[in-house]
Amino acid sequence: MNYKNLYLHNVAELMPVQDGEGMQLCRIPNALRLQLHEIAHDSALKTGSVEIRFHMKSDRVKLKFAVLNTKQLTGGHTVAEVYHGTFQENAPRILGTHVTEIEIERPKEMELMQMIAAKEQLRFPPDLVRVILPYESHIAFIGVEGETELPREGSMPERKMLLYGSSISSGASAVRPTGAYSMRTAEKLGVDLWSLSMAGAAMVDAEMADYIAQLSGWEFAFIELGINMIWDVKNGVPGSPDEFRKRVDYFISTIADAHPDKWIFVTDLFTYMGDVRNGEIGQQFRRIVEEKVMRMNRPKLIHIPGVQLLTKTSLLTYDIIHPSEEGLLEISNHLAEQISRYLTVTA
């Protein structure tokens, strides 16, 4: 989405907030957001994988933001990062409920950075500024000072990885936004990330399947299924394998039937607490995903077991659900390796 000579990456709609002073960033159309599971009403507004991208015409640009949901933050994720192409600035930026200004200056070593980018064929040129927003925050964009222009042709990767999944795919437990396995995987594969992950709300909704099915512009997709349906959130009891099976059947069929020419990679539950404590329901959920992919028998529909991506429970955080920083790194390493094998196959 383009807005005020800025490209808002992974943003589908803007909604006025704070008496019209700011515009809240929403990653999917608001009408769709309100059709999904009630937790998605919140998680679709979280800014995981959202970036503000632009070229600087003036030597200094100032962006203004405010965090709208500080009281609801479970992990205090208000860390933003500034990149010049793929070159990270030295220090992160912390956003607050007051209007926070992120001031960006043109790098002194731009010429050298451009030489490196050309030599190493980096996926973003260093004169493209990327302000990468926090995973868990609801962000209002307040305004911009200084002269900017939209990304020029060739400034962003044409190849895109579409992503759907839980908070794990959104970036939970990553210390910095780019620490998410999804962001790391996109970087390793040299593609752009289009994230539709719903933290706590990856309920395999039919409406989301219908939405993904009609989207174009992505080369391949990675879909994570299961962890948010394995518990009945309201009642605190195990989820229903039968309901999960019904939803998985519609979800995968709808997307795969709409895009038979595209690679679609599907995973089930990453390694989690159920693998060390009474994990039969987890195994049921995993079999449901695996068997659905097998039944469809499509050459470009690939099942990758979650336990092959995250191999040890010691790579989880203390909730024994979300991967640690090392766990996120392991997922990205294994996932990038597996996907790259298939992308080299001639269609």
Side-chain angles (χ1 to χ4, degrees):
M1 170 180 284
N2 297 333
Y3 181 68
K4 294 188 174 181
N5 285 328
L6 306 167
Y7 172 64
L8 310 183
H9 180 64
N10 272 316
V11 176
E13 189 167 334
L14 298 172
M15 297 181 291
V17 291
Q18 296 189 338
D19 297 325
E21 181 185 7
M23 300 296 288
Q24 185 165 9
L25 311 177
C26 186
R27 292 184 295 111
I28 59 176
N30 193 49
L32 172 63
R33 178 179 75 94
L34 298 177
Q35 291 178 51
L36 301 178
H37 188 280
E38 60 187 29
I39 298 176
H41 299 177
D42 173 79
S43 56
L45 298 173
K46 293 179 176 179
T47 54
S49 304
V50 170
E51 302 184 23
I52 314 297
R53 296 177 178 175
F54 58 91
H55 295 289
M56 300 176 66
K57 295 181 71 174
S58 54
D59 291 333
R60 183 177 286 103
V61 170
K62 187 181 294 183
L63 303 178
K64 300 179 181 180
F65 302 94
V67 178
L68 302 175
N69 66 330
T70 303
K71 292 182 180 179
Q72 287 76 42
L73 295 179
T74 57
H77 290 270
T78 61
V79 174
E81 295 178 89
V82 177
Y83 276 73
H84 298 269
T86 58
F87 292 90
Q88 176 187 341
E89 286 201 357
N90 291 343
R93 313 296 181 93
I94 309 299
L95 303 181
T97 53
H98 58 288
V99 175
T100 303
E101 297 180 348
I102 293 182
E103 188 169 343
I104 302 158
E105 295 185 1
R106 193 185 305 277
K108 296 179 180 178
E109 301 294 347
M110 179 59 71
E111 183 178 351
L112 184 56
M113 291 161 63
Q114 289 176 325
M115 290 173 58
I116 296 170
K119 181 179 180 180
E120 299 186 17
Q121 297 183 312
L122 301 180
R123 63 182 179 139
F124 294 103
D127 64 335
L128 181 71
V129 178
R130 301 166 57 216
V131 179
I132 305 174
L133 297 180
Y135 139 70
E136 198 176 22
S137 303
H138 293 183
I139 302 290
F141 177 73
I142 306 300
V144 56
E145 295 179 9
E147 293 186 81
T148 64
E149 61 179 356
L150 293 170
R152 296 185 288 270
E153 185 176 356
S155 288
M156 299 186 295
E158 292 184 5
R159 303 169 64 209
K160 293 181 176 64
M161 175 177 75
L162 187 72
L163 179 82
Y164 174 79
S166 67
S167 59
I168 299 172
S169 294
S170 300
S173 76
V175 175
R176 55 193 175 89
T178 54
Y181 88 76
S182 52
M183 297 281 281
R184 293 174 189 254
T185 302
E187 180 181 7
K188 294 175 192 296
L189 294 173
V191 300
D192 221 345
L193 175 64
W194 186 352
S195 177
L196 299 175
S197 286
M198 294 289 135
M203 299 299 183
V204 202
D205 300 280
E207 295 85 353
M208 181 60 84
D210 294 339
Y211 178 65
I212 294 173
Q214 57 87 32
L215 292 176
S216 60
W218 51 276
E219 179 178 332
F220 63 94
F222 180 69
I223 298 172
E224 175 221 343
L225 300 174
I227 193 66
N228 288 148
M229 286 197 67
I230 204 165
W231 292 288
D232 182 325
V233 176
K234 287 187 176 180
N235 301 313
V237 297
S240 164
D242 290 339
E243 178 64 21
F244 183 62
R245 181 179 291 105
K246 181 172 67 175
R247 293 190 179 207
V248 165
D249 184 65
Y250 183 86
F251 199 90
I252 295 179
S253 288
T254 299
I255 298 171
D257 287 346
H259 300 280
D261 58 328
K262 295 183 178 179
W263 290 103
I264 300 173
F265 303 93
V266 183
T267 196
D268 44 59
L269 301 175
F270 295 117
T271 298
Y272 80 117
M273 64 169 62
D275 294 314
V276 291
R277 186 176 65 191
N278 190 27
E280 175 55 30
I281 189 171
Q283 296 308 317
Q284 289 183 55
F285 272 50
R286 286 181 174 131
R287 285 194 295 270
I288 287 168
V289 175
E290 180 181 15
E291 290 169 1
K292 171 59 180 177
V293 173
M294 289 177 63
R295 284 197 307 273
M296 290 199 72
N297 192 27
R298 301 283 180 85
K300 288 194 170 184
L301 179 64
I302 308 298
H303 172 247
I304 304 175
V307 293
Q308 290 184 9
L309 299 176
L310 184 68
T311 60
K312 295 185 292 187
T313 49
S314 60
L315 293 176
L316 298 168
T317 59
Y318 75 129
D319 64 8
I320 320 299
I321 297 174
H322 294 90
S324 64
E325 284 279 325
E326 288 299 311
L328 294 169
L329 178 60
E330 185 189 47
I331 293 174
S332 67
N333 286 339
H334 289 315
L335 183 57
E337 180 184 8
Q338 294 223 31
I339 289 178
S340 63
R341 293 177 190 168
Y342 291 99
L343 295 187
T344 59
V345 176
T346 303

